[in-house]
Amino acid sequence: MDLKECGYSLANRKQMRKKSIHPCQSTDKDVIKEAHAENVMTNLSNAYASDLLPSKEGEDLTKCFLLRVVNILLHYIEKTFDDKSKILDFHHPHQLLEGLDGFDLELSDHPESLEQLLVDCTDTLKYGVKTGHPRYFNQLSSGLDVIGLAGEWLTATANTNMFTYEIAPVFTVMETVLLKKMCGIIGWRETEADGIFSPGGSISNLYGILVARYKQYPEIKARGMAVLPCIVLFVSEQGHYSIKKAAATLGIGTDNVIEVKCDERGKMIPAELEKNILQAKRKGQTPFCVVATAGSTVFGAFDPLHDIADICETHKLWMHVDGLLGACNQMQAEYLFQPDKVYNINFDTGDKTIQCGRHVDVFKLWLMWKAKGTYGFEVQIDRYMELAKYFYKVLKKKDNFKLVFDAEPEFTNVCFWYFPPRLKHIPKSFERDQELQKIAPKIKAQMIVEGTAMLSYQPCGDKVNFFRMVFSNPATRQTDVDYLIDEIQRLGKDL
């Protein structure tokens, strides 16, 4: 049974079911095989998850069901990369809750058929956002990489956890290899570095602060916050909000996160950091950590890392993550991390984490790295940088767009305002800014409703709502950038 036999779209389901078998075109064996496949397909409406493997006699049904799922995914991927397709078919939350064309999100007490599950899979993708679309420029998602997708499928199939070599032998070694490679690129020797893959930047920042505190006060692990002085940490005012969340989670408190002023490009000012540290000491507070930012969320700004490092050294403050992860986090659970295992227990990485079960994130990146090579990643990142510069240069020449910063982008972030004709020649004032504040949200709302593009916006300090373009999508080309500019002007000219 192959994809041709099982893989057909829901739209032509009836035609496939009525398909006739012509003995003159097949051998007897082929006829029997095709008839069997036809019977399995027809029976999906009367089959349930309990009929799939590991159920006895469930092999053919399982194969057919999964091939149907693959066909749904392939159809979706084709549409994702088609710039003529919508990025999303937008509906409001209440519409999804009420049900759209039979797409019922409510959960039943009784099982539904495999056929219904396939319809649900199709509808789930239909009403979601195509983050791999060439004109998806919103935050977080970095497009759709087909090799990465294959890695995700394999990871889900393996269905294991990253806490011991015992249950994830290949993945734990892969993680070690990947981390060694990444540390080498940074310039750290193997004995100087340690690390783990975490679910995202917020958890990574939590780890960084956790380790920094443990380095300064190892007694915290056993005795708790009560034994410590009033500790404070410092972060750029453009730093990620997860730093405050980490401080709240770790019992440090958000009031003890001191935000350091930035220059006009969003970089931490070293002199301000020094001043804040001295002020904290005079108040009886105890500085222990500085969180520097390498590519801020909004502006893509890089803090002056060398200057910050010098200040940290002077005041004996922590700035980066050490190999102390193990000592900081390990609890040596005897049912998992036995010291007398048959293999090298250094690959039992689970005791370095604050999680126990950790999703296998490593294979997706490992496979992509295999596919591209280090140089392939460099080329991809360089192309994003070139697109950012191209976008910046085009906007700079247009009198109805204004860049938040006149200088070329440092990273792949480009921040800008669009001025409709009625606001273009009005001098800057409180009243004009109040009107300009409304423009980006209105344009974005219309983009989403029409499904033509997605682009984020936000205010920042005294700057009213502006668009933030972040290049990270491998499908994006210059023509998509040109399209976005035209689309903003089309949707915004009468606002």
Side-chain angles (χ1 to χ4, degrees), residues 108-254:
S108 170
D109 292 334
H110 302 286
E112 296 188 347
S113 72
L114 296 179
E115 190 70 53
Q116 181 58 50
L117 298 185
L118 291 170
V119 174
D120 290 341
C121 287
T122 302
D123 287 343
T124 297
L125 291 173
K126 177 183 177 183
Y127 297 116
V129 177
K130 299 185 186 76
T131 58
H133 193 285
R135 291 166 187 167
Y136 177 87
F137 310 112
N138 235 63
Q139 65 269 29
L140 288 181
S141 298
S142 57
L144 176 62
D145 187 290
V146 173
I147 301 297
L149 177 65
E152 196 79 70
W153 287 352
L154 187 143
T155 297
T157 303
N159 191 30
T160 191
N161 260 293
M162 292 284 288
F163 46 75
T164 63
Y165 177 86
E166 185 174 324
I167 65 160
V170 181
F171 296 134
T172 51
V173 175
M174 273 181 183
E175 185 173 54
T176 302
V177 170
L178 249 178
L179 289 167
K180 181 181 176 182
K181 182 77 171 178
M182 294 169 78
C183 290
I185 291 171
I186 296 170
W188 289 343
R189 293 189 297 273
E190 193 172 348
T191 55
E192 295 176 316
D194 190 14
I196 47 168
F197 279 79
S198 71
S202 294
I203 297 294
S204 297
N205 284 333
L206 178 69
Y207 275 120
I209 296 169
L210 182 67
V211 170
R213 187 178 65 179
Y214 178 80
K215 167 69 175 176
Q216 205 85 327
Y217 305 103
E219 65 272 22
I220 180 75
K221 184 175 173 182
R223 300 172 62 193
M225 287 292 289
V227 301
L228 302 189
C230 178
I231 58 174
V232 293
L233 64 95
F234 304 85
V235 64
S236 145
E237 63 182 353
Q238 293 293 328
H240 197 263
Y241 72 93
S242 62
I243 302 302
K244 283 191 171 181
K245 289 181 78 171
T249 302
L250 295 173
I252 294 167
T254 57

Side-chain angles (χ1 to χ4, degrees), residues 5 14-21 34 38 41:
E5 291 169 324
K14 290 181 181 177
Q15 288 84 343
M16 283 292 289
R17 286 177 177 171
K18 291 177 181 177
K19 138 179 125 169
S20 60
I21 299 167
E34 197 165 326
E38 181 80 9
M41 287 187 291

